[in-house]
Amino acid sequence: MSNNEQNILIVDDDPIVLKSLRDLLAVRGYTTDTAIGGKEAICQLDQKEYDLVLLDLHMPYVNGHDVMIHLRKHKQAPAVIIVSGETSFEAARSACSQGAYDFLRKPYATEELIITINNALKEKRLEKQNKQMQMQLKESERLHRYLVNTSPDIIYILDPKGNFTFINERIESLLGFDKEELIGKHYSLLVHQADMEQAKYVFNERRVGARASSNIELRLKCKDDGAPRYFDTRSLPIELSSMGIYNDAKSSKQDTYLGTYGVARDITERKIAEETINFQAYHDLLTHLPNRSLLRDRLGLAISHAKREKEMLAVMFLDLDRFKNINDSLGHMIGDELLQQVSTRLKGCLREGDTLARFGGDEFTLLLPKISDRREDVSKIAEKIITLLKEPFMVDGHELYVSASIGISMYPQDGTNMDTLIKNADVAMYHVKGQGKNDYKFFSIDMNTPYTRSLSLDTGIHKALANDEFSLLYQPQVDLKTGEIIGVEALLRWEHPEHGTISPSEFIPFAEETGLIVDIGNWVIKTALNELKNWTDAGLPQIRMSVNISTRHLAEKNIVKTINSALKETGIPGNCLEIEITENAIMDDMDSVVQKLKKLACNGVTIAIDDFGTGYSSLTYLHKLPIHTLKIDRAFLQDSNFTNTDHTIVNTIVAMAKGLHLNVIAEGVETQKQLDYLRELDCNQAQGFLFGKPFTSDIISQLLIQEPFAAPGSKKSKSGQQDRRH
Ligand code: C2E
Ligand code: MG
Ligand code: MG
């Protein structure tokens, strides 16, 4: 700031004095304002800020004292130099006591006046600069305080002993401590016990520059407010950077350590994100179970451990039966919810240390390490799973039933590495699928051949219809009182170009899973009814044709239409067709199945429950559905099953069917003993190798011409019977 930037006001009631002062100063480079008398001076002082006032004391009306009083009153603070004719000491004293900078008597010595003016202006300049600096300092301090307190980080200063001398307000929101209560306390009060050792090297860091601690992860303790906590919110992950504080190195030779300055950043969100990413990489998002990668990790470890400890371990491959049907008919939302419920239930079967993983879709894998009691432990778990899954699942108002096919491989006998164990458990699982599902099987070496065959079945089945590779055989169903063939069951065969004749049990699961069963099933219905028409046209006795309809096929929208049009086209009356469905088909989607079966029954078609007794065997649906026949599964007819006549399942089913006025067909009758037993129970119909294996159409037409079947023991027993059996 130069002289001419400073404002000077000259006040005097004598215009000559005014002019002479003004000229004097102008020559020395000062620009000045003048005021004649005290009143005008006050006016000008109110309008403009002056640095210096040259003030006459003795003026009429408003004198120099009045002007100074005004200045004080209005907190205007120019330097005031009294230039007065007053000579008394008292005048000078009182002027100075009113705040005048100096007192010059008229006539003044020019040099003295100029020196005084220069000094006053210099002092004023310094005063102004000082004020400005102070304001800047205050502003900067305010800014720093603001930055420190609103910082998302905890900022602290420790004394050389590690006690807090400063900590910002962030500590309150992050850890719940009042910052005042921490001042003077040791930093260890905030450090999580487990991280204390590491904290010693970073929290009161002495180093500076590149060697100081930077971004070190630690956990801090939150203040324990005594409230019960359900999650661990008592620690806060932070990233700490800190450095030593020293006094000015230039001033003394030896630096003095004054303490530590540190910044701790809350990294909770980053930790959560890291954990989520980590979780997602190793878990299935739908069920939160470990995924394939984590299972492989754990299996790898378990194999090494088993090798070292000479233990056994088991890998279970578990595939839900007919899950695709649920997904297709009820939608993915329901399917997903069902998978979640299934995984929760499966978790209930685990021992500590077992790993249940979702392999994708409806496949789960179970790793059972530390198997000591050979296979028995594993069998128990597999049985437990099968039993647990029997209870229905409630999903969005639907009562759903699922079952699982489980394949098991054991380390070391079924494989010593991860891939072989998983593959062999998978092979065993496919065997369960092929043999009726809802069961478990241990891998055995002879399973490998059909498995590789299964793979080619999967592709070959797509072309089988077009290549005319399917055919039907017909197995007689016999009236046990008369011995007459009252019907036949159409049984599908696939003549595979490489593998020869393949049983439906082996390829139907594939056909169901791929959806090809719909086309194949439609072909079966048409072919079977055409054959029946051929027999009738040839004048053979009218019999009933039983056709197996798979669950997936029954779920088709057009199934009723397909069946009714096939009947119409062939002119076969509805009551000559019986469809065989399984209990699973009904349970999968009861409401829609009831509608379809009722429509078919209206057209005379009869409905049989196939393999009765192996599924849910629930009596409730028997009332709801238009069912005519129960087919007792052949498993119940095995000799070992009826040593005690009164308590057999067959006994119960026959009694129940009679009560409900249902027709009963016993399946798989192979021996005379079984037949005698059935007769004793008054079972009305039977089917099995004792009467004949599934035959070609030609053989059936011959049988229909011949006399009735007469199984040994019946009144109509004839010698020709053996010829009919193949
Ligand atoms: P299913 O409907 O229970 O058929 C009876 C099965 O038992 C037939 O096996 C038959 O050959 C066999 N069997 C009959 N009598 C005896 C006997 O005395 N002893 C023994 N051990 N077995 C006997 P197959 O033909 O291999 O059929 C197996 C299953 O494949 C059938 O069981 C049925 O569920 C399914 N299936 C067969 N044909 C078709 C079809 O056209 N469509 C559908 N969706 N499934 C079919
Ligand atoms: Mg059947
Ligand atoms: Mg059956």
Side-chain angles (χ1 to χ4, degrees), residues 97-126:
S97 73
Q98 277 185 299
Y101 174 76
D102 212 342
F103 190 98
L104 294 179
R105 270 184 209 96
K106 285 182 192 166
Y108 46 77
T110 310
E111 266 326 293
E112 191 190 1
L113 175 71
I114 296 302
I115 288 171
T116 313
I117 288 176
N118 275 345
N119 284 345
L121 284 176
K122 192 175 168 194
E123 202 166 293
K124 205 69 210 162
R125 255 195 326 268
L126 285 174

Side-chain angles (χ1 to χ4, degrees), residues 207-227:
R207 294 168 299 182
V208 287
R211 293 175 58 236
S213 298
S214 159
N215 301 332
I216 309 291
E217 287 189 18
L218 287 175
R219 275 162 299 166
L220 297 185
K221 279 191 293 197
C222 293
K223 189 174 180 179
D224 194 356
D225 52 10

Side-chain angles (χ1 to χ4, degrees), residues 489 491 548 580 582 609-612 631-634 667-668 687:
E489 176 176 4
L491 292 164
N548 293 286
E580 294 189 8
T582 61
I609 303 295
D610 206 352
D611 308 336
F612 188 80
K631 293 192 76 178
I632 306 175
D633 193 75
R634 67 169 183 269
E667 285 189 274
Q687 174 183 348

Side-chain angles (χ1 to χ4, degrees), residues 124-248:
K124 205 69 210 162
R125 255 195 326 268
L126 285 174
E127 189 185 301
K128 249 189 183 172
Q129 277 168 0
N130 198 359
K131 225 182 197 166
Q132 236 167 22
M133 259 161 64
Q134 260 181 17
M135 262 167 61
Q136 275 172 1
L137 211 69
K138 240 187 189 165
E139 186 53 30
S140 134
E141 201 185 298
R142 207 175 61 86
L143 182 71
H144 277 92
R145 195 170 293 279
Y146 174 78
L147 289 178
V148 166
N149 279 332
T150 54
S151 161
D153 303 331
I154 295 171
I155 298 172
Y156 67 85
I157 297 175
L158 299 178
D159 67 13
K161 286 182 181 158
N163 297 327
F164 287 106
T165 55
F166 170 83
I167 194 150
N168 68 343
E169 282 167 11
R170 195 72 176 119
I171 198 80
E172 298 179 3
S173 56
L174 285 181
L175 299 183
F177 286 97
D178 189 353
K179 61 178 185 170
E180 304 305 335
E181 71 180 298
L182 290 174
I183 300 298
K185 300 270 166 58
H186 196 255
Y187 73 81
S188 54
L189 185 80
L190 295 187
V191 180
H192 193 282
Q193 199 53 41
D195 293 344
M196 201 61 90
E197 220 19 64
Q198 201 190 3
K200 277 185 195 161
Y201 300 99
V202 286
F203 229 96
N204 54 350
E205 174 66 87
R206 283 170 169 261
R207 294 168 299 182
V208 287
R211 293 175 58 236
S213 298
S214 159
N215 301 332
I216 309 291
E217 287 189 18
L218 287 175
R219 275 162 299 166
L220 297 185
K221 279 191 293 197
C222 293
K223 189 174 180 179
D224 194 356
D225 52 10
R229 285 168 202 275
Y230 301 103
F231 303 103
D232 183 19
T233 50
R234 274 164 295 206
S235 66
L236 179 85
I238 54 147
E239 199 174 63
L240 184 72
S241 299
S242 56
M243 61 180 195
I245 314 172
Y246 290 85
N247 64 353
D248 189 359

Side-chain angles (χ1 to χ4, degrees), residues 57 94 130 137 142 177 182 191 249-250 261 263 274 309 332 343 426 469 507 557 599 624 693 722:
L57 276 186
S94 109
N130 198 359
L137 211 69
R142 207 175 61 86
F177 286 97
L182 290 174
V191 180
K250 289 169 211 149
Y261 168 77
V263 178
E274 277 172 10
E309 303 294 321
H332 285 265
S343 56
D426 192 31
E469 288 166 8
F507 67 80
K557 251 204 287 194
K599 279 186 197 153
K624 275 196 186 175
K693 287 192 170 176
Q722 289 303 320

Side-chain angles (χ1 to χ4, degrees), residues 504-518:
S505 315
E506 214 178 314
F507 67 80
I508 278 180
F510 281 114
E512 283 196 318
E513 239 127 74
T514 52
L516 285 169
I517 192 68
V518 177

